[in-house]
Amino acid sequence: MSTNYEVLFNNSYDRITAADQGETFFSHFYSLFIESTLELNVLPNPQMHEERQKIIYKSFFYMLSVATTYIASDYLEHVAREQNEHGLNLPASVFAYWRRAVLQTVRDLDPLCDEEILTAWAIFMAPGLEFMRRQAELHHDAN
């Protein structure tokens, strides 16, 4: 018997985001992500926090589209490469924390979550996350 990870992902995504178009999902993810990266001191000062949250929010959903199209949108390319307040401006190592925060969010919010669903999420995140991680490797200034 084969497993359709696209169906598992889509069903989980729908369960988590149906009530509020993903606001709860993203807020939970963002809190976990920020908390896990505090010690790394890679996020901007509090004045830039709201702007960074918007960029990460938008990037997250564009990132998921890479899984099905294998095309990085102009927006995703721009924010992954820009090393200023208009881009992600994150070191490559941070994307492991991003992945963990998403998977923990799925564990916390999907009542039917199991290892297969987590695998589906990992599969669907992989192309977009790898794109963003690689762009950070190429373009992030490690100052």
Side-chain angles (χ1 to χ4, degrees), residues 2-138:
S2 59
T3 302
N4 187 329
Y5 288 102
E6 183 175 12
V7 169
L8 287 175
F9 170 82
N10 287 333
N11 289 344
S12 174
Y13 183 86
D14 288 346
R15 280 190 300 275
I16 294 170
T17 62
D20 62 3
Q21 289 74 46
E23 291 299 321
T24 300
F25 175 88
F26 183 75
S27 295
H28 194 79
F29 154 74
Y30 192 73
S31 294
L32 291 173
F33 179 63
I34 295 301
E35 184 179 310
S36 68
T37 57
L38 278 176
E39 290 180 10
L40 302 175
N41 199 28
V42 294
L43 294 172
N45 61 42
Q47 294 88 338
M48 296 297 296
H49 188 68
E50 188 174 320
E51 186 62 32
R52 177 59 51 92
Q53 186 174 3
K54 288 177 188 174
I55 292 170
I56 290 175
Y57 177 84
K58 197 170 177 180
S59 298
F60 179 82
F61 293 104
Y62 275 99
M63 178 201 73
L64 288 177
S65 73
V66 177
T68 55
T69 65
Y70 292 102
I71 297 170
S73 69
D74 290 343
Y75 176 80
L76 195 60
E77 286 182 3
H78 172 76
V79 299
R81 294 175 180 163
E82 282 297 312
Q83 298 306 304
N84 56 39
E85 68 276 2
H86 302 293
L88 287 170
N89 197 18
L90 297 171
S93 62
V94 167
F95 292 99
Y97 293 89
W98 183 304
R99 180 182 183 279
R100 274 180 260 172
V102 169
L103 295 179
Q104 186 59 52
T105 299
V106 174
R107 277 186 196 96
D108 294 344
L109 299 181
D110 185 348
L112 301 180
C113 184
D114 63 12
E115 292 306 316
E116 291 299 317
I117 288 171
L118 292 174
T119 299
W121 275 86
I123 288 168
F124 270 77
M125 283 189 307
L129 266 178
E130 180 56 23
F131 172 78
M132 292 191 307
R133 188 201 64 75
R134 181 67 179 134
Q135 296 310 304
E137 225 173 45
L138 295 171

